[in-house]
Amino acid sequence: MIIKSEKEKKEKTEIYVVAEHKKMIVQNLIRELKGNEIDVKCIGTDFTEVNFLPNLAIHIVVCLSEELDVNVYRVLKNKALKNGAHIYFLGNQNVLSIEEEEIFKATPAFSFSGWPVNINLLLQAIVWNERTKKRILVVDDDPMLLRNIKNWLANDYEVYMVNSGFMALDFVIKHPIDLILLDYEMPGMDGPEVLKRLRLQKQFESMPVIFLTAKDDRESVLKAMEHKANGYILKSRPPQEIITVIKDFFKKYIIDIENLQ
């Protein structure tokens, strides 16, 4: 179930489902969404219906099928790029023509190849898109660095700070986080060990993690990336460069849901 604040609970999340709704697998999906307090609006596969969807940052779940023609994909791409609509493609991409596949790849979206879809992963993607400010957890044993990074990022993100690996693991269990900035070398439990423990838990195996490191030699960088982090930031970089790295990360990053299935 989607975890929401008291303010968010006042309104149900609204999702438009573009599909052949008579299909049993689609009906099951709709039933699961409604069971998670989602307000589902059913839209057919006709181009006209899809074209008249609101030009807003709405959630659109698209069940891939041969019934969808290329114009539908064009409309969806346009709504994502121009109106900020959140698109979720469900199903086998083999049904796409060459032209449709090109449009599909150019559309910012979450893609779920497994069918039926894992409803919990779909809900995670929806939560990700609904946050206007991404949540960053900074983990470092240097209090001055923690304060500095919070000051640099506070205007654009919700920033939380802990000073040990143990506290980081405890924090992410209790609070939803979009990115961890993780010190590579810490007493007690270092960054690689924190990341290893996160990856062993199913709910955190896709958690985005960027290492903070003081070392810029090739061997240290390669060693950091061996742990399947999403990148690294040198602590010695100027504040604006660190801010840019994080902005670029969120600009380009869409969770690879397929790796979780």
Side-chain angles (χ1 to χ4, degrees):
M1 179 175 290
I2 295 180
I3 301 174
K4 296 188 177 184
S5 66
E6 289 303 315
K7 181 179 180 181
E8 291 172 321
K9 285 179 182 177
K10 293 179 182 178
E11 295 183 6
K12 284 187 176 182
T13 298
E14 188 176 77
I15 291 180
Y16 295 83
V17 177
V18 178
E20 285 290 327
H21 295 95
K22 292 182 180 180
K23 293 181 178 179
M24 182 63 67
I25 198 166
V26 175
Q27 292 179 13
N28 290 338
L29 169 68
I30 292 172
R31 192 177 302 112
E32 285 190 280
L33 289 172
K34 289 181 176 179
N36 281 276
E37 300 181 354
I38 302 290
D39 182 8
V40 179
K41 298 190 178 302
C42 297
I43 304 297
T45 57
D46 182 78
F47 160 75
T48 305
E49 288 187 71
V50 178
N51 190 42
F52 277 98
L53 283 171
N55 292 323
L56 301 168
I58 57 176
H59 298 282
I60 307 175
V61 171
V62 184
C63 300
L64 299 177
S65 70
E66 294 178 352
E67 286 85 4
L68 296 174
D69 68 33
V70 67
N71 290 317
V72 170
Y73 292 101
R74 290 195 183 103
V75 169
L76 292 169
K77 175 186 173 183
N78 185 66
K79 289 187 180 295
L81 293 175
K82 292 189 176 182
N83 307 122
H86 308 300
I87 311 295
Y88 312 85
F89 288 118
L90 279 53
N92 194 333
Q93 298 175 24
N94 291 336
V95 300
L96 301 174
S97 67
I98 295 176
E99 185 179 7
E100 289 167 350
E101 187 174 3
E102 289 180 358
I103 301 170
F104 175 90
K105 290 179 178 178
T107 304
F110 283 92
S111 179
F112 301 78
S113 61
W115 191 250
V117 68
N118 182 324
I119 194 67
N120 290 325
L121 299 181
L122 177 57
L123 295 177
Q124 285 180 31
I126 294 167
V127 169
W128 167 272
N129 279 328
E130 286 196 331
R131 288 187 196 135
T132 54
K133 271 194 171 184
K134 302 305 181 190
R135 298 169 181 173
I136 298 177
L137 175 65
V138 188
V139 186
D140 201 292
D141 61 319
D142 182 345
M144 183 175 293
L145 181 70
L146 287 175
R147 287 195 298 270
N148 286 341
I149 292 182
K150 181 167 186 178
N151 288 336
W152 300 337
L153 302 178
N155 287 338
D156 298 311
Y157 307 100
E158 292 183 25
V159 183
Y160 305 90
M161 304 177 294
V162 295
N163 61 13
S164 75
F166 296 103
M167 292 179 68
L169 293 174
D170 182 64
F171 191 93
V172 296
I173 290 173
K174 299 175 181 176
H175 308 278
I177 291 296
D178 299 304
L179 171 66
I180 299 177
L181 299 181
L182 180 61
D183 188 10
Y184 192 82
E185 294 181 309
M186 290 184 292
M189 184 189 301
D190 63 15
E193 180 62 24
V194 173
L195 182 55
K196 178 182 176 182
R197 296 193 184 194
L198 284 172
R199 296 294 185 247
L200 289 174
Q201 301 183 58
K202 191 167 184 61
Q203 68 267 41
F204 302 127
E205 60 187 0
S206 70
M207 172 72 72
V209 174
I210 293 178
F211 277 127
L212 297 170
T213 178
K215 297 182 178 181
D216 61 355
D217 60 282
R218 185 173 183 275
E219 183 178 349
S220 296
V221 170
L222 290 175
K223 186 176 180 182
M225 297 311 295
E226 282 177 2
H227 297 279
K228 297 182 179 179
N230 298 80
Y232 68 94
I233 295 175
L234 295 176
K235 296 181 181 181
S236 59
R237 295 299 184 191
Q240 192 54 52
E241 286 191 24
I242 293 176
I243 293 170
T244 298
V245 169
I246 295 171
K247 282 186 176 180
D248 287 345
F249 171 81
F250 280 120
K251 193 183 297 181
K252 298 174 183 175
Y253 181 73
I254 291 181
I255 298 173
D256 186 359
I257 294 293
E258 294 181 338
N259 287 340
L260 297 178
Q261 301 186 77

